[in-house]
Amino acid sequence: MKILVTGGAGYIGSHTVIELQAAGHEVVVVDNLVNSNLTALKRVEQISGKAVPFLEADLRDRAAMERVCGSYCFDCCVHFAGFKSVGESVSQPWKYYDNNITGTLVLLDVLGKTGCKNLIFSSSAAVYGEPEIIPVTEECPRGQCANPYAQSKFMLEQIMMDLQKADPEWNMVLLRYFNPIGAHKSGMIGEDPRGVPNNLMPYITQVAVGKLEKLSIFGDDYDTLDGTGVRDYIHVVDLAKGHVKVLDSIEGQCGLEIFNLGTGVGYSVLDVVKSFEKVNDVKIAYEIKERRAGDIAVCYSDPGKAQRVLGWKAEYGIEDMCRDSWNWQKNHPNGFKD
Ligand code: NAD
Ligand code: UDP
């Protein structure tokens, strides 16, 4: 299939482009590089041995989107582009709503008008808020979103549901990612956050490589086995393969489907730290701090629907994730600048 990948230079997008190309799809990437580096796509080309046609453009640039969609006649769009920092979304909500909502509205309009009505959307487990059911199934009601980032995903899901209802020719697949970590086996691409990382794994790897002094563990008084927060960490390559499985099932379909993409296993912050130390033989200095505002105690998925319907199941375990994250970081202490 001919596939438009928005945000394809980013962390999940770049790993997904590799898997899409390996599965024989023709990929075109649109990204404005606001949170990524063109080097990532150059490395993708080295890994896959195939060219990645790339347009540097903002999704809100309607003329650019019309040009690219008009000239390629895409069969499907995999839509990653958006801002994702929770903290920044609290301090700059307008920036988040404008980029994530306006960008997607322009994209949907242009796709629809150019006859591409297949969309795979990067949603998030954040839409469940504080989940009512653990493990979280897709039937779990969406919750009170704790920040504008999560709210933007909630609103975009709603927009897609309404659009699909109004025009049943659309086929929308909403993928609710749990916590992607890890990196490509080659160590050539991986997560490269700008500034001090907000998320656990890039913080750990930057402590390990000596860029940061110690990890702050946000709370050890949650109602969990060791008191630290529990999440469903998923290897980014497993996540990427999930998109390929969706594409395998998409042809000729109309409707809207929602899938959790997680492993179904919860690990605490201390589990992740210990696993990272063990498999990589490095020490991670840490201290226990206050709980982080907006955090929840436990969130992990029931990934059963993706297995039943798509035949997709995460293959990698926490040790692979820790090993691959470190393999990327230790070889590229400064990310794509190295
Ligand atoms: P990322 O920041 O690495 O990738 C996003 C890409 O989109 C970047 O390359 C950025 O330059 C591009 N982009 C942003 N706004 C754009 C715009 N207006 N026009 C064109 N390009 C634009 O993030 P990621 O971790 O790869 O996440 C991809 C998607 O998955 C995002 O939508 C994110 O919200 C979602 N998601 C991520 C996580 C996670 O923990 N990484 C979890 C759940 C959902
Ligand atoms: N966390 C932590 N220290 C950090 C970053 C995260 O203790 O520097 C904890 C956080 O409280 C949560 C887990 O690690 O329990 C995962 O946080 P992350 O920000 O990676 O993902 P989230 O689930 O919040 O989207």
Side-chain angles (χ1 to χ4, degrees):
M1 274 191 244
K2 219 184 281 177
I3 298 165
L4 170 64
V5 179
T6 75
Y11 172 48
I12 305 171
S14 56
H15 288 82
T16 304
V17 169
I18 292 174
E19 300 304 323
L20 291 172
Q21 289 192 320
H25 295 292
E26 195 184 320
V27 173
V28 175
V29 168
V30 171
D31 198 304
N32 63 1
L33 304 179
V34 67
N35 196 40
S36 51
N37 195 307
L38 196 51
T39 307
L41 286 181
K42 297 283 164 228
R43 303 244 172 102
V44 167
E45 289 181 331
Q46 284 172 26
I47 293 166
S48 71
K50 291 179 185 162
V52 180
F54 171 67
L55 175 71
E56 185 173 339
D58 192 301
L59 294 190
R60 291 163 296 185
D61 179 348
R62 180 180 282 273
M65 295 310 293
E66 281 172 351
R67 264 197 314 277
V68 68
C69 293
S71 56
Y72 279 97
C73 299
F74 295 109
D75 299 303
C76 182
C77 172
V78 185
H79 176 33
F80 295 105
F83 290 147
K84 62 166 182 179
S85 163
V86 167
E88 196 183 49
S89 81
V90 174
S91 57
Q92 301 182 60
W94 190 89
K95 177 175 157 182
Y96 269 66
Y97 288 125
D98 180 45
N99 193 51
N100 293 4
I101 307 281
T102 313
T104 305
L105 284 176
V106 172
L107 175 71
L108 289 169
D109 192 41
V110 174
L111 286 173
K113 286 181 176 150
T114 53
C116 174
K117 293 191 176 178
N118 284 314
L119 182 86
I120 302 175
F121 173 59
S122 301
S123 188
S124 166
V127 300
Y128 294 114
E130 183 138 25
E132 280 181 22
I133 312 163
I134 299 280
V136 187
T137 65
E138 291 81 357
E139 281 73 45
C140 179
R142 291 183 296 164
Q144 189 63 44
C145 291
N147 53 71
Y149 164 69
Q151 193 67 40
S152 76
K153 293 291 180 193
F154 185 103
M155 290 159 83
L156 286 169
E157 283 198 353
Q158 194 59 49
I159 288 168
M160 288 168 195
M161 289 173 191
D162 293 342
L163 214 99
Q164 202 286 326
K165 221 178 279 170
D167 178 357
E169 282 181 10
W170 273 99
N171 189 33
M172 312 268 198
V173 182
L174 315 185
L175 299 180
R176 293 178 179 158
Y177 307 155
F178 281 68
N179 290 55
I181 59 171
H184 191 263
K185 284 275 167 227
S186 64
M188 289 167 68
I189 59 167
E191 190 167 9
D192 182 18
R194 298 204 166 162
V196 179
N198 298 301
N199 296 112
L200 180 63
M201 184 53 83
Y203 208 106
I204 290 177
T205 59
Q206 291 200 14
V207 171
V209 85
K211 287 181 78 179
L212 295 168
E213 195 195 333
K214 60 174 111 154
L215 170 72
S216 298
I217 295 187
F218 300 135
D220 68 348
D221 55 354
Y222 286 107
D223 186 13
T224 62
L225 279 179
D226 61 25
T228 65
V230 168
R231 297 289 183 277
D232 184 340
Y233 298 93
I234 173 167
H235 198 295
V236 66
V237 172
D238 274 331
L239 193 69
K241 288 179 175 166
H243 297 73
V244 177
K245 285 289 189 185
V246 172
L247 280 169
D248 290 345
S249 72
I250 216 167
E251 217 151 356
Q253 298 284 321
C254 296
L256 186 139
E257 283 285 357
I258 299 173
F259 295 102
N260 285 337
L261 293 185
T263 64
V265 184
Y267 288 103
S268 73
V269 178
L270 281 171
D271 288 334
V272 176
V273 170
K274 283 182 202 146
S275 184
F276 190 92
E277 289 184 327
K278 186 174 143 239
V279 295
N280 297 318
D281 198 20
V282 287
K283 278 307 280 173
I284 301 299
Y286 68 82
E287 63 183 337
I288 305 294
K289 288 280 193 63
E290 291 295 294
R291 290 181 180 193
R292 183 171 67 177
D295 268 358
I296 53 176
V298 179
C299 183
Y300 58 92
S301 68
D302 176 341
K305 181 179 175 192
Q307 185 168 6
R308 280 191 310 278
V309 179
L310 303 173
W312 172 88
K313 190 175 179 292
E315 305 283 340
Y316 294 110
I318 192 71
E319 298 199 339
D320 303 297
M321 302 182 216
C322 289
R323 194 178 296 115
D324 293 341
S325 293
W326 180 225
N327 187 36
W328 153 249
Q329 183 80 78
K330 77 171 181 235
N331 290 311
H332 303 91
N334 300 306
F336 287 107
K337 286 192 209 85
D338 289 322

